[in-house]
């Protein structure tokens, strides 16, 4: 069962539970398991099964020390009535291609798939008396989507609490309201005077503050943890929807079990697309994974040149959840692609930390490129893609999905290989940018834009988003960066 270790060393072997509880390895590496390729999931046996049964099979393979009954309970809670579609991640035709909708969860972003599950896995990680006595406080700095999805996932989950910091004035009005109206007795939300990077750095500093950690443990029995996508408990639930997509293609009669499929994935931290690689390692016939970036195209440059270079300007775009210069989950892909060579991964990650750049040996790059394609879209192309997708298919996409749509259109289509575009957010999360792209009138508030968009396209805004206009805000705290640690202590005292 102790099959998890850091991408940078095999000195310490952990169970899935321990890896989820810790989040990140002490040496800075990410937890990986060498047992993954020992499992081959029998895809044929899942065709026609509900999402929940596919989840039980895939999560059972990836997190072997959770027993069947525990997983079944987590899955029933995570993928229940809070989803607006019984298929959880429905697959829909889009011209000659397909779109996999990942945004039908409670916060209308794909992060719900993972963040409805992670808290349930996390609250079952205590394995001894000391841990059973502890409560876990999740700390998150957010540029928008993650904060709300994490709040929604952790709200009122026993044994846990969550504190979210967002940069004041730097998230959209809808995103701000989504967070400040969050219910739950274990949640805290605060705006921070500064930008996202400031807030993120301060959260990292709190994690590194051993003195504060000791005080929280002694005085309140609270340990800090992260809901960031480096946690293996966040990655594993995302592997499920690749299987679910494939099964839906088979059910439609559009592929036979064993046929290759290509997935095009809007990418930031490399979590979503990495889950596709995990699905392949578990036996799903994934032919190619296309990494789609926005103007922050560090992954495109890496996949075309073999050099990962974070010394570059950062662009704030209309696809904020993909505005990332350090794609943390890439490290896991490098580990498996480099035949589990922890020393090589260590070297590359040291170079990245110290020189802000690393190089990939050519044979490794060739191997990576045989599976991972890439492309990127600038903001003009994103807006045009939203327009052309609507004109050609009468399907409305958000700016993140539009990056993927643009990239997919540019790649020559092999008629023998079905292509699936992963759609990561509801267009109603970004009603202004989407309405502008469709040439609609955008005077008024974001809620006016939602109504305009609904009327023009014959679609409906998710109720939870539209109702924010009348929801009452619970949190109006605005603090300086220097006071974030203090706020965490106060929140911990009330857990
Ligand atoms: C987080 C996010 C992404 C990027 O996903 P990664 O796992 O970070 O690659 C894309 N689109 C939306 C809407 C997101 O919230």
């Amino acid at each position: 069962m102790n099959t998890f270790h850091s991408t940078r060393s095999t000195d310490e072997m952990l169970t899935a539970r321990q890896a989820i509880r810790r989040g990140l390895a002490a040496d800075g590496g990410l937890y990986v398991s060498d047992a993954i390729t020992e499992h081959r999931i029998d895809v044929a046996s899942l065709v026609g099964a509900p999402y929940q049964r596919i989840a039980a099979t895939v999560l059972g393979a990836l997190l072997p020390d959770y027993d069947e009954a525990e997983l079944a309970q987590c899955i029933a809670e995570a993928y229940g009535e809070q989803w607006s579609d019984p298929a959880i991640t429905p697959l829909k035709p889009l011209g000659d291609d397909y779109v996999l909708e990942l945004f039908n969860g409670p916060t209308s972003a794909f992060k719900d798939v993972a963040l409805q599950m992670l808290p349930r896995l996390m609250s079952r990680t205590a394995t001894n008396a000391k841990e059973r006595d502890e409560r876990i406080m999740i700390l998150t700095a957010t540029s928008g989507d993650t904060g709300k999805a994490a709040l929604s996932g952790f709200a009122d989950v026993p044994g846990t609490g969550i504190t979210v910091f967002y940069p004041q004035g730097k998230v959209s009005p809808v995103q701000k309201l989504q967070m400040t109206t969050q219910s739950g007795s274990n949640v805290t939300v605060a705006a921070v005077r500064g930008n996202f990077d400031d807030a993120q750095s301060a959260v990292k500093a709190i994690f590194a503050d051993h003195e504060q950690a000791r005080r929280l443990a002694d005085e309140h029995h609270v340990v800090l943890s992260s809901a960031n996508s480096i946690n293996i408990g966040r990655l594993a639930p995302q592997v499920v929807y690749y299987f679910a997509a494939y099964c839906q293609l088979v059910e439609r009669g559009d592929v036979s079990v064993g046929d290759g499929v290509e997935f095009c994935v809007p990418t930031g931290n490399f979590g979503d697309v990495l889950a596709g690689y995990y699905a392949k390692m578990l036996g799903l016939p994934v032919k190619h994974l296309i990494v789609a970036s926005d103007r922050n195209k560090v992954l495109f440059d890496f996949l075309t040149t073999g050099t990962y270079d974070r010394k570059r300007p950062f662009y704030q775009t209309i696809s904020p959840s993909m505005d990332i210069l350090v794609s943390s989950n890439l490290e896991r892909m490098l580990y498996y692609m480099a035949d589990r060579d922890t020393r090589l991964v260590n070297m590359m990650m040291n170079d990245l930390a110290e020189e802000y750049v690393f190089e990939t040996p050519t044979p490794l790059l060739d191997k990576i490129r045989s599976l991972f394609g890439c492309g990127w879209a600038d903001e003009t192309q994103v807006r045009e893609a939203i327009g052309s997708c609507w004109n050609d298919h009468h399907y409305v996409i958000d700016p993140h999905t539009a990056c993927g749509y643009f990239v997919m259109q540019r790649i020559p289509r092999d008629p023998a290989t079905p292509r699936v575009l992963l759609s990561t957010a509801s267009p109603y999360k970004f009603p202004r940018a989407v309405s502008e792209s469709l040439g609609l009138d955008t005077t008024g508030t974001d809620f006016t834009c939602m109504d305009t968009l609904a009327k023009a396209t014959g679609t409906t805004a998710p109720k939870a988003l539209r109702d924010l206009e009348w929801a009452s805000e619970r949190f109006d705290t605005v603090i300086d960066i220097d006071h974030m640690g203090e706020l965490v202590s106060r929140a911990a005292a009330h857990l």
Side-chain angles (χ1 to χ4, degrees):
M1 290 291 180
N2 291 43
T3 64
F4 285 85
H5 61 79
S6 165
T7 41
R8 301 184 193 179
S9 99
T10 50
D11 293 349
E12 193 182 26
M13 302 300 290
L14 305 179
T15 63
R17 249 182 253 272
Q18 292 170 318
I20 289 172
R21 196 170 179 91
R22 294 203 198 162
L24 192 69
D27 61 9
L30 278 60
Y31 288 118
V32 282
S33 166
D34 292 339
I36 183 168
T37 42
E38 287 165 17
H39 291 274
R40 302 299 280 183
I41 290 177
D42 176 12
V43 182
S45 73
L46 298 176
V47 175
Y51 189 91
Q52 293 78 1
R53 188 153 78 75
I54 300 175
T57 305
V58 173
L59 292 173
L62 289 173
L63 310 172
D65 50 295
Y66 285 81
D67 65 46
E68 218 173 294
E70 264 178 318
L71 277 182
Q73 195 184 359
C74 292
I75 289 166
E77 288 171 15
Y79 306 115
E81 293 297 314
Q82 70 272 48
W83 292 78
S84 64
D85 193 302
I88 308 298
T89 60
L91 181 90
K92 299 184 173 169
L94 189 70
D96 291 331
D97 302 305
Y98 302 87
V99 60
L100 182 70
E101 289 185 352
L102 304 178
F103 56 75
N104 292 298
T107 80
S108 304
F110 101 99
K111 291 185 171 63
D112 287 333
V113 180
L115 282 166
Q116 287 296 301
M117 191 66 186
L118 174 68
R120 277 126 191 148
L121 296 171
M122 183 81 85
S123 71
R124 289 165 175 83
T125 56
T127 47
N128 55 42
K130 177 175 166 289
E131 287 177 351
R132 274 188 286 275
D133 199 34
E134 288 170 352
R135 274 145 305 160
I136 300 170
M137 168 69 89
I138 302 296
L139 286 194
T140 305
T142 183
S143 56
D145 280 352
T146 306
K148 175 60 184 183
L151 283 166
S152 167
F154 280 96
D156 291 328
V157 170
T160 74
I162 176 162
T163 303
V164 170
F165 298 103
Y166 68 91
Q168 185 189 22
K170 305 245 168 28
V171 303
S172 80
V174 169
Q175 286 174 322
K176 171 177 182 273
L177 281 170
Q178 276 193 301
M179 292 187 274
T180 55
T181 57
Q182 176 65 46
S183 62
S185 60
N186 61 343
V187 307
T188 306
V189 177
V192 173
R193 293 185 193 96
N195 60 30
F196 170 67
D197 279 330
D198 301 333
Q200 171 99 309
S201 305
V203 164
K204 284 186 182 155
I206 296 171
F207 279 124
D209 183 345
H210 298 293
E211 176 54 27
Q212 178 170 17
R214 201 189 45 74
R215 265 201 326 271
L216 292 178
D218 289 353
E219 292 170 19
H220 309 301
H221 299 276
V222 166
V223 291
L224 299 180
S225 187
S226 152
N228 186 293
S229 70
I230 44 124
N231 195 308
I232 190 69
R234 220 182 116 172
L235 184 66
Q238 294 179 217
V239 181
V240 176
Y241 51 70
Y242 283 89
F243 281 88
Y246 194 91
C247 289
Q248 290 176 75
L249 282 170
V250 177
E251 283 157 40
R252 297 175 61 90
D254 295 349
V255 306
S256 305
V257 175
D259 294 349
V261 172
E262 198 164 272
F263 292 90
C264 183
V265 191
T267 307
N269 216 7
F270 208 77
D272 199 2
V273 69
L274 179 74
Y277 180 34
Y278 273 55
K280 185 180 173 67
M281 287 193 279
L282 287 173
L284 193 73
V286 175
K287 192 165 170 193
H288 286 127
L289 293 162
I290 311 296
V291 177
S293 303
D294 68 13
R295 192 177 172 203
N296 295 289
K297 60 181 181 63
V298 63
L299 285 167
F300 173 86
D301 292 343
F302 168 67
L303 289 167
T304 42
T305 66
T307 303
Y308 193 103
D309 186 356
R310 60 179 273 203
K311 297 192 302 293
R312 59 175 68 220
F314 173 85
Y315 300 109
Q316 195 163 349
T317 73
I318 53 171
S319 45
S321 298
M322 293 163 63
D323 294 342
I324 283 176
L325 295 185
V326 179
S327 293
S328 313
N329 265 305
L330 189 67
E331 185 169 343
R332 285 194 169 105
M333 184 270 269
L334 291 169
Y335 170 79
Y336 287 110
M337 280 281 173
D339 297 321
R340 308 167 187 211
D341 183 344
T342 52
R343 279 182 49 199
L344 178 61
V345 174
N346 224 326
M347 228 170 61
M348 292 191 285
M349 291 303 128
N350 270 337
D351 288 351
L352 184 64
E354 282 161 23
E355 322 286 337
Y356 285 25
V357 54
F358 71 84
E359 306 276 348
T360 323
T362 308
L364 174 57
L365 180 65
D366 290 344
K367 189 173 165 195
I368 292 170
R369 287 177 51 145
S370 68
L371 178 62
F372 290 93
C374 60
W376 68 286
D378 68 27
E379 280 187 286
T380 309
Q381 292 166 328
V382 167
R383 289 177 193 278
E384 283 168 9
I386 294 172
S388 69
C389 186
W390 169 250
N391 288 332
D392 295 346
H393 309 299
H394 270 210
Y395 186 78
V396 194
I397 52 177
D398 92 290
H400 302 79
T401 309
C403 292
Y405 182 78
F406 176 83
V407 168
M408 194 167 80
Q409 299 307 309
R410 285 281 176 103
I411 291 176
R413 173 162 207 294
D414 163 14
T417 309
R419 304 195 299 189
V420 179
L421 169 66
L422 270 55
S423 178
T424 51
S426 161
Y428 285 96
K429 274 204 96 164
F430 307 93
R432 186 168 300 276
V434 173
S435 297
E436 272 166 14
S437 306
L438 297 181
L440 304 172
D441 179 12
T442 51
T443 45
T445 66
D446 276 17
F447 298 106
T448 321
C449 291
M450 285 187 197
D451 294 341
T452 311
L453 185 60
K455 210 157 157 203
T457 61
T459 57
T460 317
K463 191 171 180 320
L465 290 182
R466 187 62 192 86
D467 285 355
L468 285 171
E469 184 170 10
W470 308 285
S472 51
E473 293 190 70
R474 287 181 69 197
F475 302 100
D476 58 3
T477 318
V478 183
I479 58 169
D480 287 325
I481 298 279
D482 295 347
H483 293 144
M484 287 168 59
E486 213 177 291
L487 188 108
V488 170
S489 293
R490 262 187 285 139
H494 289 110
L495 259 195

